[in-house]
Amino acid sequence: MILGPVTYLWLGKSKEDSDRLAPLPRILPVYAALLDHFAAHGVEWVQIDEPALVTELDAAWRDAFVTAYNALAARCVRVLLATYFSALPRICRSRASCRWTACMSMRSTPATR
């Protein structure tokens, strides 16, 4: 499991109200290289967690999500996209807007007794 690029930037701090999305074009090649490294070592699936996707994201963040996962879709490893505590937003369920292998929403469940 790795933390997704959108959530990574979303959790980050910025100085003097700088754009937290500005580093996205620089970090996507790092994520691509990491996925390629996994594939080269026989990994078939990688879970990428994007808990920020279930928050109220504005258009710039939603666009960043589409940009990020379209850029990562060409990797040889399959991506299992995960969020927490809520269903994936509509943007994630549209295969026309994003090309990934699978989406999954993980929900908390009460502990069994």
Side-chain angles (χ1 to χ4, degrees):
M1 185 285 298
I2 60 174
L3 185 65
V6 175
T7 296
Y8 177 77
L9 294 175
W10 183 74
L11 291 171
K13 305 282 187 228
S14 61
K15 289 186 178 184
E16 302 171 11
D17 295 325
S18 63
D19 181 11
R20 288 186 298 167
L21 285 172
L24 185 63
R26 294 190 307 275
I27 68 168
L28 286 178
V30 176
Y31 274 86
L34 181 60
L35 294 177
D36 290 344
H37 178 79
F38 288 151
H41 286 84
V43 175
E44 294 181 23
W45 284 90
V46 173
Q47 179 176 321
I48 299 181
D49 286 5
E50 286 283 11
L53 294 179
V54 297
T55 64
E56 294 293 325
L57 297 175
D58 65 25
W61 286 93
R62 291 189 305 269
D63 291 346
F65 170 78
V66 173
T67 298
Y69 286 89
N70 280 340
L72 297 177
R75 311 290 35 111
C76 292
V77 68
R78 292 179 174 174
V79 171
L80 182 65
L81 182 64
T83 66
Y84 305 100
F85 311 115
S86 182
L88 286 166
R90 185 178 193 176
I91 189 173
C92 301
R93 293 181 297 217
S94 170
R95 292 185 68 84
S97 64
C98 296
R99 301 170 309 216
W100 55 76
T101 304
C103 286
M104 181 177 82
S105 178
M106 299 169 66
R107 297 176 184 265
S108 63
T109 56
T112 55
R113 296 178 186 226

